[in-house]
Amino acid sequence: MIWTITIPVEPTGQMRARAFVRGGHAGMHKDKKQASRENAIMAHIAQHMPEAQFSGPLLLGVRCYLAIPAIKPRKWQEQARQGLVRPTVKPDLSNASKNIEDCQTTMGVWQDDKLVVGFLPDTGKWYSDKPRWEIEVRTWEAPLMGQESV
């Protein structure tokens, strides 16, 4: 089974939960911006859910397209559009992937992100005039005897 989705929300990393003490009791909560972005992602996922929940070992492809910085020179911006310049800025790829994995778990795309056993080729960060996520989930299939794995 294969499921792909493009989410027109600027990619961000998973932020740490904030600790607080109220009335002598400690607790944790998400940052309001984090919660708002996750809600936007999950609302989009809700409109494009796969036919069935994924199970078993999975492969995940996460492509994060970050906004091209307006302060950069035009030549640099054009190189970024062509994929010749790649983002080395926050969010880091692992935090961005974790953010999208947690949203997919919450929405029931899969039972838990522990099912992800590997990443698809071309997982990474790029620049674009249209910031977005491009996500692909595939069921992992064991290679036939004598063949290499994906």
Side-chain angles (χ1 to χ4, degrees):
M1 189 161 102
I2 299 173
W3 178 66
T4 60
I5 184 171
T6 298
I7 303 170
V9 174
E10 175 122 28
T12 58
Q14 180 79 352
M15 296 175 71
R16 293 177 193 234
R18 307 285 183 204
F20 66 90
V21 177
R22 190 174 298 137
H25 298 281
M28 303 288 279
H29 70 88
K30 284 187 180 183
D31 181 85
K32 289 180 182 178
K33 288 181 183 178
Q34 173 77 24
S36 175
R37 286 189 290 256
E38 285 181 4
N39 287 338
I41 291 168
M42 291 188 292
H44 196 79
I45 290 172
Q47 296 173 6
H48 304 280
M49 287 291 289
E51 294 177 14
Q53 186 180 59
F54 281 89
S55 61
L58 304 173
L59 298 175
L60 175 64
V62 177
R63 292 176 65 101
C64 303
Y65 289 91
L66 305 179
I68 297 172
I71 63 169
K72 294 289 189 179
R74 285 186 188 156
K75 182 177 179 180
W76 188 97
Q77 291 181 21
E78 189 54 39
Q79 289 175 332
R81 282 184 191 92
Q82 296 171 9
L84 302 174
V85 176
R86 299 277 296 270
T88 57
V89 297
K90 288 187 176 187
D92 63 76
L93 185 58
S94 59
N95 275 351
S97 294
K98 183 62 179 158
N99 190 21
I100 207 73
E101 289 172 22
D102 288 350
C103 288
Q104 291 178 172
T105 299
T106 300
M107 293 305 299
V109 171
W110 49 47
Q111 182 183 15
D112 192 86
D113 55 351
K114 69 182 180 186
L115 297 175
V116 176
V117 298
F119 292 99
L120 292 168
D122 294 330
T123 290
K125 300 187 302 184
W126 285 264
Y127 283 115
S128 175
D129 292 316
K130 296 178 182 177
R132 65 193 182 278
W133 300 89
E134 290 182 359
I135 310 300
E136 181 176 342
V137 180
R138 289 180 180 219
T139 304
W140 178 82
E141 296 181 21
L144 298 174
M145 294 297 290
Q147 292 184 356
E148 291 185 31
S149 132
V150 175

